[in-house]
Amino acid sequence: EDMVLLPNDQVLISSGFHIWEFAILAPRPEPNIFMFDLKAPSAGPQKLVIEGSFLEETPDFSPHGLSHWIDGDGVVYLYVINHRREGDTVECFLYNSESLSLKHRSTFKDESFSNLNDIIVVGLDEFYATHDHYFVPIFLKILETYARLSWGCVSYYNANTKEAKVAAGGLSYANGIAKSNSGKFIYVNTMLTGEVTAFTRNQDNTLTAVQSLTLQPTNDNVFVSPVNDDLWITVVAKPLKFIPYYKDRSIPIAGRVIHITVDASASLPFNNSKMEEVFSSTGEGFSVTTISVYHEGKLLIGTVCGQMMYCKVPFLMYPE
């Protein structure tokens, strides 16, 4: 469902995202976090060991959006949106790249944590998160989606100061979120409008939209290149078909990966942007693309339900 790229070329991957209201349609998948090493792709994805009693104490672990923070000592903190039965939380793990293990560090809860989708960490225990819907009951969320209501938002949370607030509202299915390498821009995908919007942070930690770029609905997650700040956006076609797909995985749902050049040093990052489609699928055999990570000619593409593809990209129209 989601991926993050670490400086050592390891990609951490969330797997086993479960919609509890759809339990009648399909069995619950096993929740896991995997690692894929771009330097050793033949090894494939490797399941991380979650040490301690976290899985026993959290039997309803359902990982979704991911982000990470690396402190001055090189310690990697992995933040995971967790859709528990009783409500959403954000879990923080310490990642050990040598033992390929995670150690649970803390759980963050807040009454505002509902319909969390993706997360971007901007400091230790400080993050922005997207809320894709306003309503919590599943039938109202479906109605909200069909009506194309712009009631999603981005929230800000700081565990150190106990501050929680809406940072940006009026968003139509707020989905993937990422930040430029300098932190100057926060990028948010609004799935139903097919837009990626660049926000700047205000002193009070709210966000101000400065520029939007229209793609093809429905754009899911966004990845920022660590080399040049370009965006890699994954598009899944016809997301409303996901409900029947959740029961019947043979239903093809097409997907695309789009590379967008960005000038993150400018006040308006999309003024001279160029776009190219790097990957396209009809959904036959590889369905519901959600996230892509590109680095040094290597492209890793994830899906919502159990598939992943590794590709070599020999050239780009707009290279790094």
Side-chain angles (χ1 to χ4, degrees):
E1 166 58 33
D2 202 9
M3 303 178 184
V4 294
L5 174 66
L6 302 181
N8 63 358
D9 287 2
Q10 291 184 349
V11 180
L12 302 184
I13 306 160
S14 65
S15 175
F17 164 50
H18 184 57
I19 302 175
W20 295 101
E21 295 90 343
F22 290 173
I24 193 173
L25 299 179
R28 179 192 173 198
E30 180 182 349
N32 287 303
I33 306 294
F34 289 90
M35 187 281 294
F36 186 94
D37 192 344
L38 292 177
K39 292 180 178 177
S42 61
Q46 300 177 63
K47 179 180 173 180
L48 300 185
V49 175
I50 300 179
E51 299 177 346
S53 59
F54 173 77
L55 291 178
E56 295 178 2
E57 297 171 355
T58 317
D60 53 356
F61 182 45
S62 179
H64 193 174
L66 301 179
S67 187
H68 73 287
W69 183 258
I70 302 177
D71 68 15
D73 297 322
V75 177
V76 178
Y77 300 80
L78 180 68
Y79 293 78
V80 183
I81 288 178
N82 182 14
H83 297 293
R84 300 190 183 196
R85 282 185 178 271
E86 70 273 15
D88 294 346
T89 60
V90 174
E91 313 293 343
C92 180
F93 298 88
L94 299 177
Y95 172 58
N96 188 318
S97 61
E98 296 183 356
S99 62
L100 295 182
S101 63
L102 296 170
K103 182 177 181 180
H104 188 251
R105 170 178 170 264
S106 52
T107 296
F108 302 110
K109 299 180 181 181
D110 190 83
E111 60 182 11
S112 67
F113 286 3
S114 63
N115 300 317
L116 297 183
N117 188 302
D118 200 9
I119 181 173
I120 186 66
V121 178
V122 294
L124 186 62
D125 299 340
E126 180 187 12
F127 52 81
Y128 289 91
T130 53
H131 302 242
D132 49 39
H133 289 85
Y134 172 80
F135 291 117
V136 174
I138 187 63
F139 70 94
L140 288 178
K141 285 199 282 190
I142 294 173
L143 178 62
E144 183 180 341
T145 301
Y146 273 96
R148 306 179 72 88
L149 300 177
S150 299
W151 290 358
C153 70
V154 176
S155 65
Y156 169 80
Y157 181 79
N158 189 329
N160 305 298
T161 62
K162 306 302 180 184
E163 181 182 7
K165 65 169 66 176
V166 173
L171 305 179
S172 183
Y173 205 122
N175 201 314
I177 187 170
K179 65 180 179 67
S180 61
N181 292 310
S182 68
K184 178 180 178 179
F185 295 111
I186 302 290
Y187 301 108
V188 177
N189 274 344
T190 45
M191 199 169 187
L192 296 183
T193 61
E195 292 180 320
V196 56
T197 299
F199 292 84
T200 53
R201 295 181 65 185
N202 301 316
Q203 288 188 347
D204 63 355
N205 294 309
T206 58
L207 299 175
T208 297
V210 295
Q211 194 174 25
S212 294
L213 189 65
T214 301
L215 310 173
Q216 173 187 344
T218 45
N219 44 325
D220 198 322
N221 284 302
V222 53
F223 168 76
V224 176
S225 168
V227 175
N228 65 353
D229 275 294
D230 281 359
L231 303 186
W232 291 76
I233 292 181
T234 309
V235 177
V236 53
K238 300 180 180 179
L240 295 178
K241 290 177 64 177
F242 176 68
I243 296 176
Y245 172 83
Y246 203 74
K247 183 178 181 180
D248 181 2
R249 303 295 168 84
S250 67
I251 296 175
I253 301 179
R256 305 163 64 205
V257 175
I258 300 173
H259 167 222
I260 304 172
T261 63
V262 170
D263 184 359
S265 64
S267 58
L268 298 174
F270 302 140
N271 268 2
N272 298 303
S273 288
K274 297 179 176 64
M275 290 188 284
E276 61 179 319
E277 184 178 287
V278 179
F279 172 86
S280 180
S281 167
T282 63
E284 298 287 348
F286 191 72
S287 198
V288 197
T289 51
T290 58
I291 178 66
S292 56
V293 167
Y294 174 85
H295 189 53
E296 296 180 343
K298 302 169 184 178
L299 180 65
L300 194 62
I301 308 169
T303 66
V304 75
C305 292
Q307 295 177 306
M308 189 173 69
M309 183 179 291
Y310 170 76
C311 311
K312 290 184 178 180
V313 183
F315 68 91
L316 294 170
M317 291 179 61
Y318 311 110
E320 293 185 328

